[in-house]
Amino acid sequence: MKRFFTFLTTILFAVATIAPASAQQRGEWSIKGGVGWYSLPDIIGALVAGLSTAFGNPEGTERQDFILLLNPNVEAHYGINDWLALGGSLTVGYSSAKSVFTDTGAMNKSASALYPSLMFSAKTQYFRSGAFAMYGSWGVGAMALAAKQWSADGNTSNNNFAVAPMGNIYPLCFSYGGRTGGFAELGWGAKGVVNVGVYCAF
């Protein structure tokens, strides 16, 4: 996988050196809304929710697999020049797990983790040809992790809150359209391994 990403990144920068950047307008705002799959915070949230239900279960219970939801995200950027836009992004993730009694299916205990990420972000356009564009998406900021565990009687047994640094590294991004269009981003961070959605420029 590392070799594959290295190969694609090399091709990307080679193409970027021979193709002129255009059509990202200075002084223009753009808003993107997307949904990502399997983000870096998902791993942390899944561990927190999963481990919270893995220990201290009485005999006759089993833990159901935790649920990883997709990571909705929104970004706003302001065009500095033809190739650079700066702004911010917000991504929200959620994981949950529970243990149930094997014979009845009734809940024994449950846990959940909510983890929003807020970042300063940058978009670097490599080139555009007609309606097709290639760009990079980068971000640095923080992730908040709010975890909760509760028992079958509804009493919350534990609440935790933590803040940690978080980043977005998406070197391979593609968009298609004019003032509005769609995009797909490949990389690693709060937005998931693959992030797809729509954008609007104004």
Side-chain angles (χ1 to χ4, degrees):
M1 196 65 164
K2 270 187 180 178
R3 291 180 182 178
F4 176 72
F5 271 107
T6 303
F7 175 71
L8 287 179
T9 304
T10 303
I11 291 176
L12 178 110
F13 283 112
V15 172
T17 58
I18 60 174
S22 62
Q24 180 169 294
Q25 300 298 321
R26 179 181 305 175
E28 179 178 86
W29 281 96
S30 66
I31 295 179
K32 297 163 49 185
V35 177
W37 176 76
Y38 200 67
S39 70
L40 182 58
D42 276 337
I43 299 173
I44 301 169
L47 285 173
V48 170
L51 291 176
S52 295
T53 61
F55 302 104
N57 293 325
E59 188 176 349
T61 63
E62 63 180 10
R63 184 173 69 88
Q64 295 185 347
D65 291 339
F66 49 76
I67 303 168
L68 296 182
L69 300 182
L70 297 178
N71 298 265
N73 55 85
V74 62
E75 293 183 72
H77 290 107
Y78 179 79
I80 303 301
N81 51 42
D82 289 343
W83 66 273
L84 176 65
L86 300 176
S89 69
L90 172 65
T91 305
V92 179
Y94 177 81
S95 295
S96 66
K98 63 181 179 180
S99 64
V100 299
F101 291 99
T102 308
D103 53 351
T104 64
M107 187 187 77
N108 172 45
K109 62 181 179 179
S110 183
S112 66
L114 178 69
Y115 34 94
S117 297
L118 185 64
M119 301 191 202
F120 295 106
S121 63
K123 175 185 172 184
T124 52
Q125 182 170 270
Y126 304 139
F127 72 93
R128 173 178 287 272
S129 177
F132 176 78
M134 290 184 67
Y135 63 95
S137 180
W138 323 92
V140 61
M143 173 194 76
L145 175 65
K148 181 171 72 170
Q149 180 183 354
W150 64 97
S151 56
D153 57 12
N155 295 325
T156 300
S157 58
N158 196 12
N159 281 309
N160 293 293
F161 182 81
V163 177
M166 181 55 57
N168 282 332
I169 302 174
Y170 292 83
L172 297 175
C173 306
F174 312 91
S175 67
Y176 187 86
R179 309 298 295 174
T180 60
F183 67 86
E185 300 176 339
L186 304 175
W188 196 235
K191 295 189 291 185
V193 177
V194 179
N195 182 49
V196 297
V198 295
Y199 72 87
C200 177
F202 58 93

